[in-house]
Amino acid sequence: MGLESEDNGKRTAGSSGPETDPQTPVLRISQLDALELDSALEQLLWTQFSQCFQNFRPGLLTPLEPELRALLQLLLWRFTLYSSSATVGQSLLSLRYHNTLSSSPRYRPLSRRQKLGLALFTAGPRWLQERYHSLLQCLGLNAGGPVSERDSGLLQLCLRNCLSLVSAIAQAASLINFLVFLRKGRHPVLAERIMGARAVFSKPNVVRDISYQYMNRELLWHGFAEFLIFLLPLINTRKLKTAASSFVFGAESADGEGATKGQGVFKECGLCGEWPTMPHTVGCQHVFCYYCIKSHSIADAYFTCPKCGAEAGQPELVKMEVEMIGR
């Protein structure tokens, strides 16, 4: 009988999968990465949700945006943390929450009260912060301005001061908790410390494997991209394009322009391609709108004609002779 009960106990313990040691420390970067992944997922859900109303009246979701964000966050909590004691970010990094209030040395999932507390402490303060001014207006208060002018009374003044004091204390407590997390490596969020939830590995012997070849490639690409962002504005791409086109198609464009000279040269701006407005020239046979050539000359002191590559001089008004033919 004793052997049978011992075997049954072993099978019961092993039926839930491999046991993990809650005392195994989790890297700080893994916990912070899980928080960043959760935040990115919430933002992605909100973006997809708001795109459903993009064809409606602008500003339709603005009055209810805090409530809708809180609702989406609660829905995400219901199908992730409530069902598996792990957020999406933690699941991707092989992490889950452990109930530190339990005296058992083995892993214990979060209780229903802890899960509800995490949802309340996560969505509640954010909603209260976004609805702070609206709540004050509903109570007849004003976030700014003298209280005597609004006839608020002593009770309303105490309520407003209490809300400000609670907000300041919560921010200071979050800062202190994060400093303790950097020192101890546990509970990066104040809500986790209050509710007794700690991130542990969901699989035994999990090691954070970093591919340094991939990291070096990413760093090299980011450095190259930053160099291009710095270099490209310094290059006069318009001048290079004009020089290349004149070098390749110089003779053909010159013959074509000579044949059409006097026919359609004054019908198209060399920059915008439209009918020239207040036509001006810069020393060559091409015509430009006054505002086009003036703005490009101010932006580029060494501006050249984009058609023939000639150096641009001072814009001069084009004088045209119009002959009226009567019928």
Side-chain angles (χ1 to χ4, degrees), residues 120-140:
L120 179 62
F121 283 112
T122 302
R126 183 182 304 176
W127 175 84
L128 185 61
Q129 183 179 5
E130 294 178 354
R131 283 299 185 189
Y132 171 73
H133 297 282
S134 300
L135 292 176
L136 291 180
Q137 293 177 0
C138 293
L139 296 175

Side-chain angles (χ1 to χ4, degrees), residues 151-189:
D151 194 16
S152 300
L154 182 61
L155 180 61
Q156 296 177 345
L157 175 62
C158 293
L159 181 58
R160 186 174 62 183
N161 292 336
C162 288
L163 289 176
S164 301
L165 181 61
V166 169
S167 177
I169 292 176
Q171 293 179 3
S174 299
L175 176 61
I176 295 174
N177 176 79
F178 188 74
L179 295 177
V180 174
F181 163 73
L182 295 179
R183 180 68 177 85
K184 301 292 185 179
R186 297 181 177 181
H187 309 294
V189 182

